[in-house]
Amino acid sequence: MNAPTELPFRVEPREVPAAMIDGLKARFGERCSTALAVREQHGRDESPFDVRPPDAVVFCESTEEVAAVVALADRHAVPIIPFGVGSSLEGHLLAVQGGISIDLSRMNRVLRVNPEDLTATVEPGVTREQLNREIRDTGLFFPIDPGANASLGGMAATRASGTNAVRYGTMRENVLGLTVVTASGEVIRTGTRAKKSSAGYDLTRLMVGSEGTLGVMTEITLKLYPIPEAISAAVVVFDRIESAVNTTIQMIQLGLPIARCELLDVNAVRAVNRHDKLSLREGPMLLMEFHGSEAGVKEQAEMAQQIAREHGGEDFQWATTPEERTRLWTARHRAYFAGLQMKPGCRTVTTDTCVPISRLTECISQAVADAEAEGLQYYIVGHVGDGNFHIAYLIDPAKPQERETAERLNEQLVHRALAMEGTCTGEHGIGLHKQGFLIDEAGAGSVELMRTLKRALDPKNILNPGKIFSL
């Protein structure tokens, strides 16, 4: 967990009546826990906040059980916080006002797979890796890959994306329908398995990205895709980070149908080499992947190689076997934890800006210059194919001035991204950490409209209160 920092608003904990705890224990038995160790496990994530744990944790196993917990919470006006695997970076699952954590990890069944329609319906505790294992024999896969083996419920709640977003989109484009428990404990369904609909308000898109503040998702219908006939991955190293980013920009602007395009700066490559015992050349690096037919992948790869060479790219390494590709992408996915080992005992302040692709080089270059000027240790990884990158500032939790410097650099970066018509968060969500930035980005009027929706759908403010904005 990251080093603690102050919450962006004053917290007023709400009392959980003994009658409610008694009711939960009567209904769920040992699956309702008030043990401190269990509560603490559900009261922390990878965010920089340190708050009190929830008052109790309930392990639900069905939509009906979730509805029962929410209905009881509605009766007593007690907060409820959905919990998946705890990999949030923005404090989404923290019980800032106390209340009940609803652990959805046991709701981990793939309910239906319809290969002919390229869809699957899953419970929220199913992880992306689990889903792909279970559907492998159908010749299909689910492409959204945020790095961590996150739960699909959490991914939908935060509108996650990741390494494949440049080709396959984000969770917003890949969720067709939902089963949702509302603030009163009512079960509703949104969307269908059809690829499109113009029937009424788009409640599915309203719920996707709502961070558990408008309802608890208990079933999710997803788009699937055929496993490509051919897949090829490549690594190319540059002398300057600007050259790597400019290569990406040119590939996107030329319409090259790249499936993945990830940036690692020299610090990230160095960390990955040490952590995974690799021997990658230590310089700014692009990891690319191409999907399609044998001929199509070959043509895409040759064009990418030509563009990279024009920008000084060297040491092309191709990985065509599944084992070679897995090794490369596993190293990329572990970059966060590899980076932490660069400064023993450190914690991170991680940014999540996304800008129009034409402004990406400028945005990254200025961010690097700012960090170098401050002498703060950092590394960069990014889904640069869609303009999204992360700087992880490494800070000593015993030195408050380092956190202050990191937060100031983060603020400068966000304001620069907004000035470029970008966003403060490309995929991590608002949670607790970015609430001030949301007002800067969307405007006070838009945020007040969000509050109006929240009050209408959750009048007692029991659904994950304190996230996205304060009421």
Side-chain angles (χ1 to χ4, degrees):
M1 188 180 77
N2 277 329
T5 193
E6 294 183 359
L7 293 172
F9 51 85
R10 183 179 178 183
V11 175
E12 296 291 346
R14 300 197 220 175
E15 181 183 356
V16 178
M20 180 172 180
I21 299 295
D22 291 342
L24 290 172
K25 288 188 172 180
R27 170 71 186 264
F28 294 95
E30 293 182 354
R31 288 191 287 124
C32 173
S33 177
T34 54
L36 180 60
V38 176
R39 290 163 49 220
E40 287 182 339
Q41 178 194 358
H42 290 76
R44 61 174 180 259
D45 57 11
E46 294 296 330
S47 75
F49 299 101
D50 187 15
V51 303
R52 55 174 280 183
D55 295 89
V57 178
V58 179
F59 295 84
C60 289
E61 297 179 355
S62 68
T63 296
E64 293 71 26
E65 289 188 348
V66 173
V69 176
V70 176
L72 194 58
D74 175 54
R75 189 181 314 153
H76 293 282
V78 166
I80 54 129
I81 308 97
F83 184 97
V85 297
S87 58
S88 165
L89 290 169
E90 302 296 347
H92 298 105
L93 53 83
L94 302 184
V96 293
Q97 296 182 21
I100 309 300
S101 176
I102 300 182
D103 188 309
L104 302 169
S105 62
R106 298 186 186 185
M107 295 179 64
N108 59 359
R109 296 179 299 163
V110 176
L111 299 173
R112 291 178 297 279
V113 178
N114 299 94
E116 299 86 356
D117 297 319
L118 285 77
T119 66
T121 299
V122 303
E123 292 182 321
V126 174
T127 66
R128 63 175 186 86
E129 291 182 3
Q130 175 193 346
L131 174 60
N132 279 323
R133 283 196 304 271
E134 294 198 26
I135 64 174
R136 185 179 300 142
D137 292 343
T138 68
L140 304 174
F141 81 117
F142 182 68
I144 309 305
D145 175 9
N149 187 26
S151 68
L152 292 164
M155 289 168 61
T158 56
R159 201 158 59 226
S161 54
T163 61
N164 279 316
V166 63
R167 175 158 184 167
Y168 297 99
T170 71
M171 288 298 285
R172 180 183 63 188
E173 291 80 34
N174 288 283
V175 175
L176 293 170
L178 297 165
T179 297
V180 178
V181 177
T182 69
S184 65
E186 181 183 2
V187 178
I188 66 167
R189 288 174 175 79
T190 75
T192 68
R193 289 199 302 112
K195 295 297 183 183
K196 62 180 182 179
S197 172
S198 59
Y201 294 155
D202 192 343
L203 297 180
T204 302
R205 300 296 172 274
L206 179 62
M207 292 294 172
V208 173
S210 64
E211 302 182 13
T213 63
L214 300 180
V216 182
M217 303 176 196
T218 60
E219 291 184 15
I220 308 160
T221 298
L222 301 163
K223 292 182 184 178
L224 303 177
Y225 295 81
I227 295 174
E229 173 190 339
I231 300 175
S232 181
V235 173
V236 59
V237 182
F238 299 82
D239 290 330
R240 301 170 63 247
I241 195 168
E242 291 84 358
S243 300
V245 180
N246 286 332
T247 296
T248 303
I249 293 172
Q250 188 172 347
M251 287 191 297
I252 298 302
Q253 290 176 339
L254 290 175
L256 191 65
I258 193 167
R260 285 171 159 174
C261 189
E262 295 289 297
L263 171 71
L264 283 75
D265 77 337
V266 62
N267 297 324
V269 175
R270 188 174 295 124
V272 163
N273 271 345
R274 293 176 183 174
H275 185 270
D276 285 82
K277 296 180 174 56
L278 299 179
S279 56
L280 300 169
R281 176 182 158 190
E282 293 184 355
M285 175 181 293
L286 290 180
L287 280 75
M288 299 174 284
E289 191 166 277
F290 307 92
H291 296 176
S293 66
E294 294 282 356
V297 164
K298 181 179 179 182
E299 181 180 1
Q300 294 166 29
E302 289 174 351
M303 186 178 297
Q305 188 163 340
Q306 179 181 343
I307 294 170
R309 283 175 174 163
E310 290 173 359
H311 291 277
E314 299 176 351
D315 292 346
F316 254 90
Q317 297 181 31
W318 294 97
T320 55
T321 69
E323 294 77 15
E324 291 171 329
R325 293 197 310 272
T326 298
R327 189 177 184 214
L328 282 177
W329 288 111
T330 299
R332 163 61 185 91
H333 288 152
R334 291 175 180 167
Y336 175 79
F337 298 103
L340 289 176
Q341 295 184 8
M342 294 168 60
K343 185 174 180 178
C346 77
R347 295 294 184 263
T348 68
V349 172
T350 305
T351 73
D352 183 35
T353 49
C354 185
V355 297
I357 192 72
S358 64
R359 307 299 299 273
L360 184 59
T361 303
E362 178 185 358
C363 193
I364 291 180
S365 297
Q366 292 183 19
V368 168
D370 289 346
E372 294 285 354
E374 293 289 349
L376 195 64
Q377 199 168 352
Y378 70 93
Y379 66 90
I380 297 175
V381 295
H383 316 306
V384 287
D386 54 12
N388 185 204
F389 69 99
H390 314 293
I391 299 185
Y393 301 110
L394 305 182
I395 63 167
D396 184 341
K399 297 179 179 179
Q401 66 273 21
E402 290 194 2
R403 171 167 289 284
E404 293 170 5
T405 299
E407 293 290 0
R408 176 165 46 80
L409 290 175
N410 181 30
E411 185 174 358
Q412 289 175 202
L413 175 56
V414 168
H415 288 158
R416 184 180 301 122
L418 297 183
M420 294 176 175
E421 299 181 87
T423 177
C424 65
T425 175
E427 58 185 3
H428 294 165
I430 296 296
L432 295 171
H433 201 196
K434 294 183 168 65
Q435 295 189 14
F437 297 147
L438 177 63
I439 297 174
D440 295 335
E441 177 175 328
S446 294
V447 174
E448 188 55 38
L449 181 57
M450 296 179 199
R451 288 192 177 103
T452 300
L453 287 168
K454 168 71 170 174
R455 293 185 183 109
L457 297 179
D458 182 15
K460 296 180 183 177
N461 192 24
I462 65 170
L463 294 172
N464 208 11
K467 314 303 163 53
I468 306 181
F469 44 72
S470 59
L471 289 178

